[in-house]
Amino acid sequence: MKLILLGAPGSGKGTQAAYITDKYDLPHISTGDLFRENIKNKTPLGIKVKEIMDTGNLCPDDLTVELVKDRLNNPDCKNGYLLDGFPRDIPQAIALDEFAAPDVVIEIDVDLNKIEHRITGRRSCPKCGGSFHVDFIGNVDKCPTCGDKLIIRKDDNPETVKERLEVYQNQTAPLIEYYGKQGKLVKVNGDQPIEKVFEEVVKVLG
Ligand code: ADP
Ligand code: ADP
Ligand code: ZN
């Protein structure tokens, strides 16, 4: 199964991805995580994209497409994948259609007014990729999943959230129509408790 999770920043893609990859045994490919790993390791790619990511803009399409192409060539992707955060604009979707077109695109639909609260309360685990919210775990600094130290991502602040939402509306939201026309898009209601959202996803995927 080749699956894409589409949705605004903070809509719950990473959270649902953890449940989905566990149940359906798919590799979780998050371009945001891949970029952050490159930044942490100070690779040439990481050095190129750091500033762009800090401001909430999109990294260049050619670099992003290359990164995903490389990752999908890994043997663990031969039975399918779960893409989280890619594609993020029409040129990326066209490129993906040329080398590994998806079967299903799940759009996590959320009220955009709730995004700032979700993102500013997010606590992330760089080690296991876990994503949590202070509303649920309180102000702890240990990852509930793996015990490592939780961080607040540099781009998870109110100013950058505004920019990221604009980028989403201008560049990413057109993908809803793109995949709708291909008959691949399924919308789930992301404004429900995490388990309920996952129930809807399971109904789609079977
Ligand atoms: P994305 O990967 O789309 O940016 P995340 O999965 O990291 O989003 O979720 C963003 C924040 O919202 C996290 O703090 C997460 O714990 C929280 N969250 C995710 N899903 C829900 C939900 N259904 N209801 C409330 N909060 C949620
Ligand atoms: P969120 O969880 O808020 O949706 P991500 O972790 O997916 O955020 O992405 C964080 C940042 O990484 C983006 O703001 C952008 O700068 C960069 N990025 C991630 N995926 C892509 C992509 N497919 N194309 C371009 N830039 C990307
Ligand atoms: Zn962890």
Side-chain angles (χ1 to χ4, degrees), residues 125-130 132 143-148 150:
C125 177
K127 189 165 180 212
C128 73
F132 310 93
C143 173
T145 306
C146 76
D148 224 59
L150 291 174

Side-chain angles (χ1 to χ4, degrees), residues 8-15 118 122 131-133 136 190 192-194 197:
S11 57
K13 300 182 298 296
T15 302
R118 284 203 185 180
R122 172 157 61 188
S131 176
F132 310 93
H133 199 283
F136 305 132
Q192 325 176 69
I194 292 167
V197 181

Side-chain angles (χ1 to χ4, degrees), residues 1 3 15-28 82 195 197-206:
M1 178 167 45
L3 180 62
T15 302
Q16 294 301 321
Y19 284 85
I20 295 168
T21 51
D22 190 42
K23 184 171 167 74
Y24 297 95
D25 199 21
L26 292 169
H28 175 195
L82 171 71
E195 297 71 27
V197 181
F198 185 55
E199 273 174 31
E200 275 198 33
V201 170
V202 171
K203 267 188 209 149
V204 174
L205 298 180

Side-chain angles (χ1 to χ4, degrees), residues 7 40 50 96 98 139 157 201 203 206:
K40 197 167 120 199
K50 184 179 182 317
L96 181 67
E98 279 165 14
N139 225 338
N157 59 72
V201 170
K203 267 188 209 149

Side-chain angles (χ1 to χ4, degrees), residues 2-205:
K2 291 183 277 183
L3 180 62
I4 290 176
L5 282 182
L6 188 63
S11 57
K13 300 182 298 296
T15 302
Q16 294 301 321
Y19 284 85
I20 295 168
T21 51
D22 190 42
K23 184 171 167 74
Y24 297 95
D25 199 21
L26 292 169
H28 175 195
I29 300 166
S30 154
T31 40
D33 286 350
L34 291 173
F35 281 131
R36 280 185 288 276
E37 188 126 329
N38 275 276
I39 291 174
K40 197 167 120 199
N41 296 329
K42 298 199 168 59
T43 67
L45 175 66
I47 291 162
K48 265 189 211 151
V49 300
K50 184 179 182 317
E51 242 174 76
I52 304 173
M53 279 180 76
D54 286 348
T55 60
N57 283 297
L58 294 185
C59 303
D61 285 335
D62 54 346
L63 299 180
T64 310
V65 168
E66 265 326 291
L67 185 71
V68 172
K69 224 181 201 172
D70 255 24
R71 181 63 187 83
L72 292 182
N73 269 331
N74 206 294
D76 67 339
C77 295
K78 74 174 193 308
N79 294 323
Y81 58 70
L82 171 71
L83 281 172
D84 159 11
F86 180 93
R88 245 203 188 53
D89 59 20
I90 297 283
Q92 292 180 10
I94 291 172
L96 181 67
D97 274 345
E98 279 165 14
F99 63 86
D103 304 312
V104 187
V105 179
I106 296 187
E107 181 204 350
I108 306 181
D109 183 35
V110 287
D111 174 356
L112 296 186
N113 293 313
K114 293 192 179 144
I115 292 297
E116 183 174 326
H117 176 78
R118 284 203 185 180
I119 289 190
T120 52
R122 172 157 61 188
R123 298 292 180 271
S124 306
C125 177
K127 189 165 180 212
C128 73
S131 176
F132 310 93
H133 199 283
V134 290
D135 282 355
F136 305 132
I137 62 166
N139 225 338
V140 298
D141 65 356
K142 257 197 178 173
C143 173
T145 306
C146 76
D148 224 59
K149 199 169 162 25
L150 291 174
I151 59 146
I152 299 175
R153 272 169 46 183
K154 202 164 175 215
D155 56 345
D156 279 354
N157 59 72
E159 297 74 43
T160 312
V161 169
K162 240 189 215 154
E163 179 65 30
R164 283 154 73 193
L165 274 174
E166 257 177 50
V167 168
Y168 173 75
Q169 280 174 305
N170 294 333
Q171 293 179 256
T172 310
L175 294 176
I176 297 170
E177 196 189 332
Y178 179 89
Y179 288 119
K181 278 191 180 148
Q182 291 190 358
K184 292 180 178 173
L185 190 86
V186 185
K187 193 193 286 265
V188 302
N189 175 9
D191 284 321
Q192 325 176 69
I194 292 167
E195 297 71 27
K196 290 272 173 226
V197 181
F198 185 55
E199 273 174 31
E200 275 198 33
V201 170
V202 171
K203 267 188 209 149
V204 174
L205 298 180

